[in-house]
Amino acid sequence: MAQSDQDLDRLSELLFALPHEHFPMTLGELDGYLTGVLACPDLIPPSEWLPHVWGETGDANFPDMKTAEDTIGAVMAHYNSLAEGLTRSVWIEPLYEVDPNSDETLWEPWIDGLTRAMGLRPAAWQALIKRADDDTQASIIFLMALQDICEGTSKFTEEEIDEIDLEAPELIPNCMAQVLILSRPELAMGVSANSPHPVRTKRPGRNDPCPCGSGRKYKQCCGKN
């Protein structure tokens, strides 16, 4: 079940309450991170990925048991929501952060979270790249190139980076759909088997039938957010 705005706001508040000196994840980072965990060809248990949410030390330093239960519960609820959503559609809706001063969409935290998840299983991702077709290879490489931009190590020109910056929010879901079809084929097959619409490698238009098979338009279903 998709989470409500209230659920997400509460999760964001709980993450923000973690010790800042440990650099815990923001909501955008967490969303990208959990998407990467779920997209990985290998199963990654919560006991392994959860400590990274709390920050560099892996220790959340919760002040009491109630706060610990609420925070862990909220993170797991978001994980389960994303996992359930992937059983209906490989088309994700990233939770991008927004610059409060300029209203600019900030895709960088989401990508940082994604690549941190990929770092949990580098061998699995390298193996996936080797067996991927050209389009999926290009998608993975592009996602990694976005992280290079975040870190200031990109070889793109400033003009190219400016163009990518504008296009990245729309390109990221397309790239992830390509990746998920290969890395989690059981999801893609499940969506296809239960839907009269084939799994596509192009993001559906807002007025197109939703690929999850609900019969509603994409903008009224999986694209509602």
Side-chain angles (χ1 to χ4, degrees):
M1 178 181 292
Q3 291 184 294
S4 67
D5 290 342
Q6 286 183 327
D7 291 332
L8 295 175
D9 287 343
R10 179 57 177 159
L11 173 57
S12 182
E13 291 172 0
L14 290 166
L15 293 173
F16 187 76
L18 293 166
H20 291 187
E21 62 270 20
H22 296 167
F23 301 101
M25 291 186 182
T26 62
L27 180 59
E29 288 174 313
L30 177 67
D31 191 67
Y33 180 68
L34 295 181
T35 301
V37 169
L38 289 165
C40 184
D42 291 352
L43 177 64
I44 306 176
S47 59
E48 182 177 348
W49 60 255
L50 191 58
H52 294 274
V53 176
W54 315 139
E56 294 178 343
T57 66
D59 187 355
N61 289 329
F62 293 117
D64 51 61
M65 185 61 68
K66 177 69 164 56
T67 302
E69 291 175 350
D70 288 348
T71 307
I72 294 172
V75 170
M76 291 307 302
H78 192 54
Y79 172 87
N80 291 332
S81 177
L82 291 175
E84 193 274 335
L86 288 176
T87 65
R88 293 182 284 106
S89 174
V90 293
W91 300 101
I92 64 166
E93 293 290 336
L95 293 179
Y96 297 128
E97 297 177 19
V98 177
D99 187 323
N101 297 315
S102 64
D103 287 333
E104 177 186 2
T105 297
L106 304 176
W107 51 265
E108 292 88 345
W110 197 94
I111 282 293
D112 184 63
L114 175 73
T115 53
R116 287 170 72 177
M118 294 171 73
L120 298 177
R121 289 291 188 277
W125 285 101
Q126 285 298 325
L128 186 73
I129 292 174
K130 288 181 180 179
R131 63 185 177 87
D133 57 31
D134 290 345
D135 287 344
T136 307
Q137 281 188 357
S139 293
I140 297 174
I141 291 170
F142 177 73
L143 293 169
M144 292 178 173
L146 290 180
Q147 181 62 13
D148 290 340
I149 292 175
C150 295
E151 295 175 349
T153 59
S154 175
K155 296 181 180 179
F156 288 118
T157 65
E158 290 187 10
E159 291 78 10
E160 289 171 331
I161 290 175
D162 288 342
E163 184 176 351
I164 292 171
D165 185 47
L166 294 174
E167 296 179 348
E170 290 294 326
L171 293 176
I172 288 170
N174 291 332
C175 291
M176 286 307 304
Q178 286 276 8
V179 171
L180 284 162
I181 289 169
L182 180 65
S183 69
R184 298 292 305 277
E186 73 280 10
L187 296 177
M189 286 189 296
V191 171
S192 181
N194 295 312
S195 171
H197 309 294
V199 175
R200 297 178 289 180
T201 56
K202 181 180 178 182
R203 186 187 180 93
R206 287 179 56 76
N207 291 313
D208 288 342
C210 188
C212 75
S214 66
R216 292 178 290 175
K217 292 182 179 180
Y218 178 67
K219 68 180 180 182
Q220 297 170 332
C221 191
C222 294
K224 190 173 182 180
N225 293 332

